[in-house]
Amino acid sequence: MRELRIRLLAGVFIIAGVLSWAGARLWNAVGTLPSVPLAAPIVLALIAVVLLSTAISIRARLKAQRERDPEAKGVDPLMAARAVVFGQASALVAALVAGMYGGTGVFLLEYLDIPARRDQAIYAGFSVLASLGVIAAAVFLERVCKLPDDDEHNGAGATPTT
């Protein structure tokens, strides 16, 4: 399984942010800009908590397993792989959502004197922060589930035979 690249997440964030900012400007010129839902940062924060708790649980189980604790519950490799896939998918979606709300929030900065737009800018800012929390938790989960490099057994130091 490939490791999640921060460059990819940053690229998704920047592209989504620019497109969202341009879309918000266009949408505002044509009609009323859709609102940023209050539930967005809450849902994103809940996803971050789930990812973080999963990472902490797996890390504790792996530590107990390494210390050969007789009561240690092993980590099922398939469950760990599913957790990593969930984390990677969550990080990609969070980067997209952060860019989308970030671009909208930057557009809304021009209208902070209007109370409704100010509230929307605040919700967008909290959504970006919660999305960054999802990304951080997903990267942490991926690092916890990463297998140690096994250079001695896979022939990394040996000379190749032809």
Side-chain angles (χ1 to χ4, degrees), residues 100-125:
M100 185 181 74
Y101 286 132
T104 303
V106 167
F107 169 76
L108 290 171
L109 289 177
E110 300 173 19
Y111 301 99
L112 291 179
D113 54 334
I114 303 170
R117 295 281 176 114
R118 182 176 43 245
D119 291 344
Q120 295 301 307
I122 291 170
Y123 299 157

PDB file of all heavy atoms in Angstrom, residues 100-125:
ATOM      1  N   MET A 100     -12.157  23.706  -0.346  1.00  0.00           N
ATOM      2  CA  MET A 100     -13.448  24.263  -0.728  1.00  0.00           C
ATOM      3  C   MET A 100     -13.899  25.336   0.272  1.00  0.00           C
ATOM      4  O   MET A 100     -14.247  26.447  -0.112  1.00  0.00           O
ATOM      5  CB  MET A 100     -14.488  23.146  -0.801  1.00  0.00           C
ATOM      6  CG  MET A 100     -15.836  23.582  -1.298  1.00  0.00           C
ATOM      7  SD  MET A 100     -17.011  22.231  -1.326  1.00  0.00           S
ATOM      8  CE  MET A 100     -17.354  22.051   0.413  1.00  0.00           C
ATOM      9  N   TYR A 101     -13.863  25.011   1.560  1.00  0.00           N
ATOM     10  CA  TYR A 101     -14.277  25.980   2.570  1.00  0.00           C
ATOM     11  C   TYR A 101     -13.241  27.086   2.738  1.00  0.00           C
ATOM     12  O   TYR A 101     -13.588  28.211   3.074  1.00  0.00           O
ATOM     13  CB  TYR A 101     -14.550  25.294   3.901  1.00  0.00           C
ATOM     14  CG  TYR A 101     -15.847  24.514   3.896  1.00  0.00           C
ATOM     15  CD1 TYR A 101     -15.910  23.217   4.370  1.00  0.00           C
ATOM     16  CD2 TYR A 101     -17.019  25.078   3.405  1.00  0.00           C
ATOM     17  CE1 TYR A 101     -17.086  22.508   4.360  1.00  0.00           C
ATOM     18  CE2 TYR A 101     -18.202  24.369   3.385  1.00  0.00           C
ATOM     19  CZ  TYR A 101     -18.235  23.082   3.867  1.00  0.00           C
ATOM     20  OH  TYR A 101     -19.406  22.384   3.851  1.00  0.00           O
ATOM     21  N   GLY A 102     -11.983  26.770   2.500  1.00  0.00           N
ATOM     22  CA  GLY A 102     -10.955  27.801   2.574  1.00  0.00           C
ATOM     23  C   GLY A 102     -11.144  28.845   1.485  1.00  0.00           C
ATOM     24  O   GLY A 102     -11.055  30.057   1.740  1.00  0.00           O
ATOM     25  N   GLY A 103     -11.389  28.401   0.272  1.00  0.00           N
ATOM     26  CA  GLY A 103     -11.641  29.335  -0.825  1.00  0.00           C
ATOM     27  C   GLY A 103     -12.887  30.172  -0.593  1.00  0.00           C
ATOM     28  O   GLY A 103     -12.892  31.388  -0.832  1.00  0.00           O
ATOM     29  N   THR A 104     -13.928  29.542  -0.102  1.00  0.00           N
ATOM     30  CA  THR A 104     -15.160  30.274   0.214  1.00  0.00           C
ATOM     31  C   THR A 104     -14.913  31.260   1.346  1.00  0.00           C
ATOM     32  O   THR A 104     -15.388  32.401   1.309  1.00  0.00           O
ATOM     33  CB  THR A 104     -16.281  29.291   0.591  1.00  0.00           C
ATOM     34  OG1 THR A 104     -16.478  28.369  -0.484  1.00  0.00           O
ATOM     35  CG2 THR A 104     -17.577  30.018   0.876  1.00  0.00           C
ATOM     36  N   GLY A 105     -14.146  30.830   2.350  1.00  0.00           N
ATOM     37  CA  GLY A 105     -13.838  31.713   3.473  1.00  0.00           C
ATOM     38  C   GLY A 105     -13.027  32.917   3.060  1.00  0.00           C
ATOM     39  O   GLY A 105     -13.271  34.037   3.531  1.00  0.00           O
ATOM     40  N   VAL A 106     -12.068  32.716   2.164  1.00  0.00           N
ATOM     41  CA  VAL A 106     -11.267  33.846   1.662  1.00  0.00           C
ATOM     42  C   VAL A 106     -12.171  34.824   0.912  1.00  0.00           C
ATOM     43  O   VAL A 106     -12.047  36.047   1.062  1.00  0.00           O
ATOM     44  CB  VAL A 106     -10.108  33.342   0.773  1.00  0.00           C
ATOM     45  CG1 VAL A 106      -9.471  34.485   0.002  1.00  0.00           C
ATOM     46  CG2 VAL A 106      -9.079  32.623   1.621  1.00  0.00           C
ATOM     47  N   PHE A 107     -13.094  34.302   0.127  1.00  0.00           N
ATOM     48  CA  PHE A 107     -14.033  35.187  -0.566  1.00  0.00           C
ATOM     49  C   PHE A 107     -14.886  35.956   0.434  1.00  0.00           C
ATOM     50  O   PHE A 107     -15.136  37.155   0.265  1.00  0.00           O
ATOM     51  CB  PHE A 107     -14.940  34.378  -1.510  1.00  0.00           C
ATOM     52  CG  PHE A 107     -16.083  35.175  -2.043  1.00  0.00           C
ATOM     53  CD1 PHE A 107     -15.883  36.109  -3.047  1.00  0.00           C
ATOM     54  CD2 PHE A 107     -17.353  35.019  -1.528  1.00  0.00           C
ATOM     55  CE1 PHE A 107     -16.934  36.871  -3.530  1.00  0.00           C
ATOM     56  CE2 PHE A 107     -18.408  35.770  -2.007  1.00  0.00           C
ATOM     57  CZ  PHE A 107     -18.202  36.687  -3.004  1.00  0.00           C
ATOM     58  N   LEU A 108     -15.333  35.289   1.491  1.00  0.00           N
ATOM     59  CA  LEU A 108     -16.207  35.925   2.472  1.00  0.00           C
ATOM     60  C   LEU A 108     -15.491  36.972   3.316  1.00  0.00           C
ATOM     61  O   LEU A 108     -16.148  37.775   3.983  1.00  0.00           O
ATOM     62  CB  LEU A 108     -16.841  34.863   3.375  1.00  0.00           C
ATOM     63  CG  LEU A 108     -17.889  33.976   2.707  1.00  0.00           C
ATOM     64  CD1 LEU A 108     -18.280  32.832   3.633  1.00  0.00           C
ATOM     65  CD2 LEU A 108     -19.107  34.791   2.315  1.00  0.00           C
ATOM     66  N   LEU A 109     -14.167  36.990   3.309  1.00  0.00           N
ATOM     67  CA  LEU A 109     -13.428  37.994   4.078  1.00  0.00           C
ATOM     68  C   LEU A 109     -13.727  39.415   3.601  1.00  0.00           C
ATOM     69  O   LEU A 109     -13.587  40.371   4.370  1.00  0.00           O
ATOM     70  CB  LEU A 109     -11.924  37.716   4.006  1.00  0.00           C
ATOM     71  CG  LEU A 109     -11.430  36.489   4.764  1.00  0.00           C
ATOM     72  CD1 LEU A 109      -9.943  36.296   4.534  1.00  0.00           C
ATOM     73  CD2 LEU A 109     -11.755  36.585   6.242  1.00  0.00           C
ATOM     74  N   GLU A 110     -14.145  39.544   2.369  1.00  0.00           N
ATOM     75  CA  GLU A 110     -14.497  40.865   1.836  1.00  0.00           C
ATOM     76  C   GLU A 110     -15.807  41.389   2.416  1.00  0.00           C
ATOM     77  O   GLU A 110     -16.081  42.591   2.329  1.00  0.00           O
ATOM     78  CB  GLU A 110     -14.630  40.790   0.313  1.00  0.00           C
ATOM     79  CG  GLU A 110     -13.385  40.359  -0.408  1.00  0.00           C
ATOM     80  CD  GLU A 110     -13.636  40.141  -1.893  1.00  0.00           C
ATOM     81  OE1 GLU A 110     -14.645  40.652  -2.429  1.00  0.00           O
ATOM     82  OE2 GLU A 110     -12.812  39.446  -2.521  1.00  0.00           O
ATOM     83  N   TYR A 111     -16.608  40.504   2.995  1.00  0.00           N
ATOM     84  CA  TYR A 111     -17.952  40.874   3.440  1.00  0.00           C
ATOM     85  C   TYR A 111     -18.134  40.668   4.948  1.00  0.00           C
ATOM     86  O   TYR A 111     -19.225  40.322   5.402  1.00  0.00           O
ATOM     87  CB  TYR A 111     -19.003  40.041   2.692  1.00  0.00           C
ATOM     88  CG  TYR A 111     -18.932  40.210   1.206  1.00  0.00           C
ATOM     89  CD1 TYR A 111     -18.283  39.281   0.410  1.00  0.00           C
ATOM     90  CD2 TYR A 111     -19.507  41.322   0.597  1.00  0.00           C
ATOM     91  CE1 TYR A 111     -18.217  39.449  -0.963  1.00  0.00           C
ATOM     92  CE2 TYR A 111     -19.441  41.492  -0.768  1.00  0.00           C
ATOM     93  CZ  TYR A 111     -18.798  40.554  -1.548  1.00  0.00           C
ATOM     94  OH  TYR A 111     -18.727  40.723  -2.904  1.00  0.00           O
ATOM     95  N   LEU A 112     -17.111  40.910   5.736  1.00  0.00           N
ATOM     96  CA  LEU A 112     -17.206  40.687   7.179  1.00  0.00           C
ATOM     97  C   LEU A 112     -18.108  41.707   7.877  1.00  0.00           C
ATOM     98  O   LEU A 112     -18.512  41.482   9.021  1.00  0.00           O
ATOM     99  CB  LEU A 112     -15.815  40.693   7.819  1.00  0.00           C
ATOM    100  CG  LEU A 112     -14.925  39.507   7.472  1.00  0.00           C
ATOM    101  CD1 LEU A 112     -13.574  39.637   8.153  1.00  0.00           C
ATOM    102  CD2 LEU A 112     -15.593  38.199   7.845  1.00  0.00           C
ATOM    103  N   ASP A 113     -18.437  42.811   7.217  1.00  0.00           N
ATOM    104  CA  ASP A 113     -19.322  43.799   7.822  1.00  0.00           C
ATOM    105  C   ASP A 113     -20.778  43.340   7.822  1.00  0.00           C
ATOM    106  O   ASP A 113     -21.595  43.852   8.578  1.00  0.00           O
ATOM    107  CB  ASP A 113     -19.184  45.149   7.123  1.00  0.00           C
ATOM    108  CG  ASP A 113     -19.385  45.050   5.618  1.00  0.00           C
ATOM    109  OD1 ASP A 113     -19.135  43.965   5.062  1.00  0.00           O
ATOM    110  OD2 ASP A 113     -19.778  46.071   4.999  1.00  0.00           O
ATOM    111  N   ILE A 114     -21.110  42.334   7.026  1.00  0.00           N
ATOM    112  CA  ILE A 114     -22.454  41.761   6.994  1.00  0.00           C
ATOM    113  C   ILE A 114     -22.482  40.593   7.990  1.00  0.00           C
ATOM    114  O   ILE A 114     -21.708  39.637   7.842  1.00  0.00           O
ATOM    115  CB  ILE A 114     -22.821  41.280   5.573  1.00  0.00           C
ATOM    116  CG1 ILE A 114     -22.706  42.428   4.577  1.00  0.00           C
ATOM    117  CG2 ILE A 114     -24.218  40.668   5.547  1.00  0.00           C
ATOM    118  CD1 ILE A 114     -22.804  42.001   3.133  1.00  0.00           C
ATOM    119  N   PRO A 115     -23.357  40.640   9.007  1.00  0.00           N
ATOM    120  CA  PRO A 115     -23.336  39.606  10.060  1.00  0.00           C
ATOM    121  C   PRO A 115     -23.501  38.166   9.536  1.00  0.00           C
ATOM    122  O   PRO A 115     -22.809  37.262  10.009  1.00  0.00           O
ATOM    123  CB  PRO A 115     -24.508  39.985  10.965  1.00  0.00           C
ATOM    124  CG  PRO A 115     -24.710  41.442  10.730  1.00  0.00           C
ATOM    125  CD  PRO A 115     -24.318  41.693   9.310  1.00  0.00           C
ATOM    126  N   ALA A 116     -24.394  37.961   8.580  1.00  0.00           N
ATOM    127  CA  ALA A 116     -24.603  36.599   8.059  1.00  0.00           C
ATOM    128  C   ALA A 116     -23.352  36.100   7.345  1.00  0.00           C
ATOM    129  O   ALA A 116     -22.962  34.933   7.504  1.00  0.00           O
ATOM    130  CB  ALA A 116     -25.798  36.571   7.118  1.00  0.00           C
ATOM    131  N   ARG A 117     -22.700  36.948   6.581  1.00  0.00           N
ATOM    132  CA  ARG A 117     -21.477  36.550   5.882  1.00  0.00           C
ATOM    133  C   ARG A 117     -20.333  36.333   6.870  1.00  0.00           C
ATOM    134  O   ARG A 117     -19.491  35.474   6.665  1.00  0.00           O
ATOM    135  CB  ARG A 117     -21.083  37.614   4.843  1.00  0.00           C
ATOM    136  CG  ARG A 117     -22.075  37.782   3.716  1.00  0.00           C
ATOM    137  CD  ARG A 117     -21.901  36.667   2.697  1.00  0.00           C
ATOM    138  NE  ARG A 117     -22.877  36.713   1.643  1.00  0.00           N
ATOM    139  CZ  ARG A 117     -22.594  36.952   0.382  1.00  0.00           C
ATOM    140  NH1 ARG A 117     -21.372  37.201   0.011  1.00  0.00           N
ATOM    141  NH2 ARG A 117     -23.558  36.938  -0.516  1.00  0.00           N
ATOM    142  N   ARG A 118     -20.296  37.126   7.941  1.00  0.00           N
ATOM    143  CA  ARG A 118     -19.266  36.946   8.964  1.00  0.00           C
ATOM    144  C   ARG A 118     -19.412  35.564   9.617  1.00  0.00           C
ATOM    145  O   ARG A 118     -18.434  34.852   9.820  1.00  0.00           O
ATOM    146  CB  ARG A 118     -19.340  38.058  10.008  1.00  0.00           C
ATOM    147  CG  ARG A 118     -18.269  37.958  11.076  1.00  0.00           C
ATOM    148  CD  ARG A 118     -18.281  39.108  12.067  1.00  0.00           C
ATOM    149  NE  ARG A 118     -19.614  39.483  12.516  1.00  0.00           N
ATOM    150  CZ  ARG A 118     -20.193  40.651  12.269  1.00  0.00           C
ATOM    151  NH1 ARG A 118     -19.558  41.570  11.573  1.00  0.00           N
ATOM    152  NH2 ARG A 118     -21.408  40.916  12.717  1.00  0.00           N
ATOM    153  N   ASP A 119     -20.646  35.184   9.936  1.00  0.00           N
ATOM    154  CA  ASP A 119     -20.890  33.853  10.513  1.00  0.00           C
ATOM    155  C   ASP A 119     -20.450  32.751   9.557  1.00  0.00           C
ATOM    156  O   ASP A 119     -19.857  31.756   9.967  1.00  0.00           O
ATOM    157  CB  ASP A 119     -22.368  33.685  10.860  1.00  0.00           C
ATOM    158  CG  ASP A 119     -22.809  34.562  12.027  1.00  0.00           C
ATOM    159  OD1 ASP A 119     -21.921  35.070  12.758  1.00  0.00           O
ATOM    160  OD2 ASP A 119     -24.028  34.743  12.196  1.00  0.00           O
ATOM    161  N   GLN A 120     -20.749  32.940   8.272  1.00  0.00           N
ATOM    162  CA  GLN A 120     -20.350  31.949   7.277  1.00  0.00           C
ATOM    163  C   GLN A 120     -18.831  31.847   7.184  1.00  0.00           C
ATOM    164  O   GLN A 120     -18.282  30.764   7.038  1.00  0.00           O
ATOM    165  CB  GLN A 120     -20.939  32.314   5.910  1.00  0.00           C
ATOM    166  CG  GLN A 120     -22.448  32.253   5.853  1.00  0.00           C
ATOM    167  CD  GLN A 120     -22.976  30.882   6.196  1.00  0.00           C
ATOM    168  OE1 GLN A 120     -22.564  29.892   5.613  1.00  0.00           O
ATOM    169  NE2 GLN A 120     -23.867  30.809   7.172  1.00  0.00           N
ATOM    170  N   ALA A 121     -18.150  32.983   7.278  1.00  0.00           N
ATOM    171  CA  ALA A 121     -16.682  32.976   7.244  1.00  0.00           C
ATOM    172  C   ALA A 121     -16.124  32.247   8.466  1.00  0.00           C
ATOM    173  O   ALA A 121     -15.133  31.503   8.358  1.00  0.00           O
ATOM    174  CB  ALA A 121     -16.147  34.405   7.179  1.00  0.00           C
ATOM    175  N   ILE A 122     -16.755  32.424   9.612  1.00  0.00           N
ATOM    176  CA  ILE A 122     -16.309  31.730  10.833  1.00  0.00           C
ATOM    177  C   ILE A 122     -16.521  30.229  10.684  1.00  0.00           C
ATOM    178  O   ILE A 122     -15.634  29.429  11.011  1.00  0.00           O
ATOM    179  CB  ILE A 122     -17.047  32.289  12.068  1.00  0.00           C
ATOM    180  CG1 ILE A 122     -16.570  33.721  12.351  1.00  0.00           C
ATOM    181  CG2 ILE A 122     -16.833  31.400  13.284  1.00  0.00           C
ATOM    182  CD1 ILE A 122     -17.397  34.452  13.379  1.00  0.00           C
ATOM    183  N   TYR A 123     -17.683  29.815  10.184  1.00  0.00           N
ATOM    184  CA  TYR A 123     -17.943  28.383   9.971  1.00  0.00           C
ATOM    185  C   TYR A 123     -16.953  27.797   8.979  1.00  0.00           C
ATOM    186  O   TYR A 123     -16.470  26.674   9.148  1.00  0.00           O
ATOM    187  CB  TYR A 123     -19.371  28.144   9.469  1.00  0.00           C
ATOM    188  CG  TYR A 123     -20.473  28.593  10.399  1.00  0.00           C
ATOM    189  CD1 TYR A 123     -21.730  28.881   9.915  1.00  0.00           C
ATOM    190  CD2 TYR A 123     -20.251  28.734  11.764  1.00  0.00           C
ATOM    191  CE1 TYR A 123     -22.758  29.296  10.752  1.00  0.00           C
ATOM    192  CE2 TYR A 123     -21.266  29.152  12.610  1.00  0.00           C
ATOM    193  CZ  TYR A 123     -22.511  29.435  12.091  1.00  0.00           C
ATOM    194  OH  TYR A 123     -23.511  29.846  12.926  1.00  0.00           O
ATOM    195  N   ALA A 124     -16.649  28.550   7.942  1.00  0.00           N
ATOM    196  CA  ALA A 124     -15.680  28.072   6.949  1.00  0.00           C
ATOM    197  C   ALA A 124     -14.303  27.926   7.577  1.00  0.00           C
ATOM    198  O   ALA A 124     -13.597  26.945   7.318  1.00  0.00           O
ATOM    199  CB  ALA A 124     -15.630  29.035   5.758  1.00  0.00           C
ATOM    200  N   GLY A 125     -13.900  28.878   8.406  1.00  0.00           N
ATOM    201  CA  GLY A 125     -12.604  28.788   9.089  1.00  0.00           C
ATOM    202  C   GLY A 125     -12.522  27.588  10.009  1.00  0.00           C
ATOM    203  O   GLY A 125     -11.504  26.870  10.029  1.00  0.00           O
TER     204      GLY A 125
END
